[in-house]
Amino acid sequence: MLRTFVHAGGHPIGTRMELHMDNADNGLITARTVQTGTVVAANGIEYAYRRFGRSTDGFPLVFRQHFRGNLDSWDPDLVDDIAAEREVILVDNAGVGASTGTVPGTVAEMARDLLASSKLRRLTAITQPTLILQGDDHPMIRHTGEPHAGRTHPRRAAAHLPRCRARIDLPVPARGRPPRPRARGGQDHHGRRLRGMLMTSPTHLLDRVLEAHGGRARWAEVSTISAERSFGGAFWGLKQVAGVAEHGRFTVDLRHQETSLESFGAPDVRTRFTADRVEMVRATEEGDEVIEAVDDPRTTFEGHDLETPWTRLQLAYFTGYAMWTYNTEPWSFTFPGVQIEEIGPWTEPDGTVLDRLRVTYPPQIATHTPTQTLYADADGVLRRRDYEVDIAGGSPSVEYMTDQFWADGLLLAGSRKIFVRDGDGTAIPDPLIVSIDISDVRLGSSAGTDTSLPEPG
């Protein structure tokens, strides 16, 4: 049943129809001819929408505009190109265009308004210049462009949905129509099909992660991170090095892989770590005295398993690369030779959905194992890492990062807890293998952005 829908201004602007209604003949309906319908949400707001396109077995793709954009802001040629491959739904925000209600003041409010109706929760993805939403059973918000009115940052928006099945980023130009997206392996506008765009378009997760942790520009300004450390867990006793490295200050270099741990077994002893050499150093009136050192330290772990005891130099190597790996990310993901791949979502036992990055480090970076998996939440904040400790028999591990805090423009994890990982990819909660807490962070300024690394041997 159709009826005329009249906006507060008194002008007829469309018809009422149920959101699940399919067009009788999608082949004849375009962005210029489709009728405008409305659906009433549980909060009483009538949302205006237009639904058309090729019906498939998949979910429709839903388009949402920014705060003041409406149904007519979309480029009809762009929408028609997509509608030729997939059913599409265009939606007006609350209080904008043909929708009733009050304009939301924040991105989070926009998400809540849109998802107030259970009918809207069956929608796949909401794609627009400011945010992407998926409407399944658990709403979520995704930020894809520059902040708009009120400088609303994505970190302040509540996480409401599982990860979008598909994503198209359409940045907002200063004036005029939004640019048409270019798809990986596809073509752009003027009648050419955007094949593969809906399911292969890159989500730029690395960019989102970098932005969430302070942004590329801020990380490039920093040369070193120094902080107080506190280690715990069963691992140190298992390796027979308890009491050596648990407390003291550490420093990591953000331009090269170098780490130093102070108070290493004695108040006046510190370590100097690089991928190819580790030293234990004592400061004297005449200068630094090298107490012990080893070149090519990784070769000293051959044949080790989880319970093989370590020497102090081996401990210095492990803590050196581990603290560098943890405290330079995500900046280290941009280093020469580091390869990044997005591998889809993961659902934690508590229902939290995280996006995954597979990070492969080049041979000249010492770390647990060359390929590791990093997990980011809806805001891009890193929350988990999966890896194997190659120098301890390849033991499978899962690390959780919590208590994030801001340190002069960088978002750092204040606490890390590491557990054994089972065959299903979940953490075995007992025992706690390693805990790492940091505090009293100090940043060193960088004179440049060189992140050169030694050539592989």
Side-chain angles (χ1 to χ4, degrees), residues 140-155:
M140 173 182 64
I141 195 162
R142 297 276 183 185
H143 184 279
T144 66
E146 292 300 316
H148 283 261
R151 300 292 295 175
T152 302
H153 193 276
R155 195 172 297 109

Side-chain angles (χ1 to χ4, degrees), residues 55-87:
S55 296
T56 66
D57 293 336
F59 291 82
L61 186 69
V62 182
F63 289 70
R64 279 294 306 272
Q65 273 289 339
H66 54 87
F67 280 95
R68 290 176 293 179
N70 58 41
L71 296 175
D72 293 325
S73 298
W74 289 105
D75 185 334
D77 293 333
L78 164 66
V79 177
D80 285 343
D81 276 347
I82 297 174
E85 301 288 341
R86 188 73 168 270
E87 188 176 15

Side-chain angles (χ1 to χ4, degrees), residues 231-243:
F231 298 162
F235 185 74
W236 317 107
L238 186 66
K239 305 305 283 187
Q240 299 183 24
V241 289

Side-chain angles (χ1 to χ4, degrees), residues 324-370:
W324 187 89
T325 298
Y326 300 155
N327 293 283
T328 63
E329 63 189 17
W331 179 240
S332 59
F333 301 164
T334 69
F335 272 39
V338 177
Q339 299 178 20
I340 303 294
E341 179 186 2
E342 298 178 29
I343 59 172
W346 162 270
T347 303
E348 288 287 303
D350 65 358
T352 301
V353 178
L354 302 173
D355 294 324
R356 294 183 294 174
L357 281 177
R358 179 179 289 134
V359 180
T360 301
Y361 297 91
Q364 61 268 38
I365 292 182
T367 186
H368 295 299
T369 194

Side-chain angles (χ1 to χ4, degrees), residues 186-376:
Q187 300 181 29
D188 54 4
H189 51 288
H190 297 311
R192 290 172 284 184
R193 295 289 178 87
L194 300 172
R195 296 191 181 276
M197 179 178 65
L198 298 185
M199 300 311 295
T200 62
S201 178
T203 61
H204 310 298
L205 178 55
L206 176 58
D207 290 337
R208 183 156 55 91
V209 169
L210 284 164
E211 184 63 27
H213 289 80
R216 289 176 183 263
R218 180 58 187 133
W219 280 92
E221 295 171 345
V222 179
S223 60
T224 60
I225 296 176
S226 175
E228 291 291 329
R229 70 183 186 275
S230 178
F231 298 162
F235 185 74
W236 317 107
L238 186 66
K239 305 305 283 187
Q240 299 183 24
V241 289
V244 177
E246 281 90 325
H247 302 284
R249 197 156 197 89
F250 74 93
T251 302
V252 296
D253 196 308
L254 272 66
R255 301 159 299 177
H256 320 281
Q257 192 177 28
E258 298 179 10
T259 306
S260 175
L261 272 68
E262 299 175 16
S263 301
F264 193 82
D268 60 344
V269 175
R270 71 181 189 278
T271 66
R272 286 201 297 230
F273 158 85
T274 64
D276 54 9
R277 181 176 172 83
V278 176
E279 299 175 346
M280 292 172 55
V281 178
R282 175 180 286 114
T284 68
E285 294 181 357
E286 290 76 26
D288 287 346
E289 172 192 355
V290 177
I291 303 171
E292 292 185 71
V294 61
D295 292 321
D296 200 9
R298 202 171 187 92
T299 61
T300 69
F301 295 90
E302 292 180 3
H304 278 220
D305 60 26
L306 182 59
E307 298 182 1
T308 305
W310 281 349
T311 68
R312 291 194 176 192
L313 281 175
Q314 289 173 325
L315 175 63
Y317 176 78
F318 172 76
T319 54
Y321 82 61
M323 294 302 281
W324 187 89
T325 298
Y326 300 155
N327 293 283
T328 63
E329 63 189 17
W331 179 240
S332 59
F333 301 164
T334 69
F335 272 39
V338 177
Q339 299 178 20
I340 303 294
E341 179 186 2
E342 298 178 29
I343 59 172
W346 162 270
T347 303
E348 288 287 303
D350 65 358
T352 301
V353 178
L354 302 173
D355 294 324
R356 294 183 294 174
L357 281 177
R358 179 179 289 134
V359 180
T360 301
Y361 297 91
Q364 61 268 38
I365 292 182
T367 186
H368 295 299
T369 194
T371 299
Q372 303 175 34
T373 302
L374 278 296
Y375 298 68

